[in-house]
Amino acid sequence: MSGDHGLRSAVPASLQVLQEHPNLQLSLVGDSNAIELELQQHDTAGALPARLDIVHADTTLAMDAPTAQILRGSQGSSLHVALGLLGAGQVDAVVSAGNTTALMALGRRQVDMLHGFSRPAFCSAIPVNKGFSYMLDLGANVDCDARSLHEFALMGTALVSSLEECEVPRVALLSNGREANKGDAVIRLAAEKLAADERLNYCGFVEGDDLHLARAELIVCDGLLGNVALKTAEGTAELAADLVRQSFASHWWYRLLGLMVRPVLGQLRVSLSAEQYGGAFLLGLQGVVVKSHGGSTPRAFRAALEQAVLCVEHKMVPRLAHYLDNQESAEL
């Protein structure tokens, strides 16, 4: 597992996860001197946990590096080294807080795709009124045909059934209406494919205002629509929080009332926080890859690590391969 950026988050999170999983072996990939200095801040100098390895990498990739530069000059970077370990089968999962474009590009180059999948996709948990649902794609693929959306549904179903107590999650397509005649030709063809696939529990279309109402455990869409929907929801949540703060600060009586309801507001903030679900999964590869946010706190990075551990323990990748056992015979 690797954290390209934010050692101050990755190191304490890794140490905590090691304590909670006695059989876990974990590698930190990056500048070995920087890693060792950070470990010293956590009283591990001279007592490095036996199950924690340091794998040196000469460089890191800039967060804004263009794809061409990533593909030409990534050798020696921490992300290149970490994904190389995954591709070689030396680790079971990679967790990174680095460049998203690099993670996707190098993931496809250094880790084989699962047979039957044409492209990877980002999937993440989103808060709903009854826990969490999952949505994909969230930005990896802007232009998608019906086959790709079908593949995404299979990917997401394997993930949700691995992480949640939901063996056959409901799958919905994000569209501009719930009626069967909504959406463009691609969406309608994808709906036919999902409905015909007995491996999927397809439940129809959902609209944007359904995203947080737990109408489905998995919501499928192309990367453009998914990314816009996710960022819109995050921005709306920030706006609501700002408006609440302004309202309570506008009058002394409201400030007093704010003190009374602070525990409720704090619980609401935790429920909506992205730290709850850690990161996004890059699905479709022959290995577990989790993308944590570049500004992740130790709590958020720990959540991403825990997600990766769960996926490995519950055999998410073999489960996904099982969904594709009869892919050649399915009508795509």
Side-chain angles (χ1 to χ4, degrees):
M1 298 181 183
S2 166
D4 290 337
H5 298 275
L7 282 177
R8 292 182 181 177
S9 295
V11 168
S14 299
L15 295 173
Q16 291 175 349
V17 171
L18 278 173
Q19 289 180 347
E20 295 170 4
H21 297 273
N23 297 320
L24 180 67
Q25 183 75 31
L26 195 147
S27 299
L28 289 170
V29 182
D31 185 312
S32 57
N33 291 328
I35 293 173
E36 289 171 357
L37 285 174
E38 185 62 33
L39 285 168
Q40 291 175 12
Q41 304 301 314
H42 299 273
D43 298 323
T44 62
L48 190 67
R51 294 178 290 113
L52 178 63
D53 297 324
I54 298 175
V55 180
H56 179 71
D58 294 326
T59 63
T60 59
L61 291 168
M63 295 297 281
D64 58 351
T67 303
Q69 178 183 332
I70 290 167
L71 294 176
R72 285 197 312 266
S74 63
Q75 288 192 352
S77 70
S78 53
L79 189 54
H80 186 280
V81 172
L83 289 169
L85 293 173
L86 182 64
Q90 297 180 38
V91 298
D92 296 308
V94 166
V95 178
S96 172
N99 183 313
T100 301
T101 302
L103 182 66
M104 185 177 66
L106 295 178
R108 292 195 68 173
R109 170 186 279 188
Q110 295 188 253
V111 185
D112 290 337
M113 292 287 296
L114 282 167
H115 179 64
F117 283 154
S118 58
R119 57 180 73 179
F122 279 113
C123 181
S124 182
I126 59 173
V128 298
N129 56 356
K130 298 178 182 177
F132 296 102
S133 290
Y134 290 79
M135 185 162 68
L136 83 166
D137 179 30
L138 297 178
N141 306 280
V142 174
D143 297 315
C144 296
D145 57 15
R147 173 179 179 143
S148 296
L149 295 175
H150 184 195
E151 291 180 2
F152 297 166
L154 291 169
M155 292 179 186
T157 293
L159 174 70
V160 176
S161 62
S162 298
L163 292 181
E164 308 293 340
E165 295 180 2
C166 183
E167 189 63 30
V168 188
R170 294 170 297 167
V171 181
L173 282 167
L174 182 59
S175 186
N176 63 329
R178 301 188 189 98
E179 298 83 6
N181 64 342
K182 294 292 187 177
D184 59 17
V186 171
I187 293 290
R188 292 196 296 271
L189 180 57
E192 293 177 9
K193 293 183 179 295
L194 269 60
D197 194 332
E198 295 181 354
R199 296 166 293 181
L200 299 172
N201 181 15
Y202 178 61
C203 65
F205 293 153
V206 293
E207 298 181 83
D209 58 357
D210 294 320
L211 291 181
H212 303 286
L213 298 180
R215 297 191 186 277
E217 284 74 43
L218 178 68
I219 299 166
V220 177
C221 56
D222 64 54
L224 176 62
L225 189 58
N227 191 269
V228 170
L230 181 65
K231 295 298 176 61
T232 300
E234 291 175 348
T236 301
E238 291 180 8
L239 172 63
D242 285 343
L243 291 176
V244 169
R245 283 192 291 267
Q246 292 175 28
S247 296
F248 280 119
S250 63
H251 192 276
W252 71 267
W253 167 246
Y254 291 160
R255 289 194 289 272
L256 179 60
L257 182 62
L259 293 174
M260 297 174 62
V261 300
R262 179 177 293 177
V264 176
L265 294 176
Q267 188 175 33
L268 178 62
R269 180 181 60 81
V270 170
S271 298
L272 295 176
S273 173
E275 292 185 347
Q276 287 275 74
Y277 41 92
F281 299 89
L282 185 60
L283 301 179
L285 303 176
Q286 291 188 16
V288 175
V289 177
V290 180
K291 171 65 175 73
S292 187
H293 193 277
S296 291
T297 64
R299 179 183 177 188
F301 203 92
R302 177 182 173 186
L305 287 169
E306 291 284 3
Q307 286 178 325
V309 170
L310 273 176
C311 284
V312 173
E313 291 179 344
H314 290 269
K315 303 184 184 303
M316 189 268 290
V317 172
R319 189 184 297 231
L320 185 49
H322 174 72
Y323 274 99
L324 297 171
D325 281 345
N326 300 316
Q327 182 77 359
E328 290 81 0
S329 62
E331 275 192 72
L332 297 177

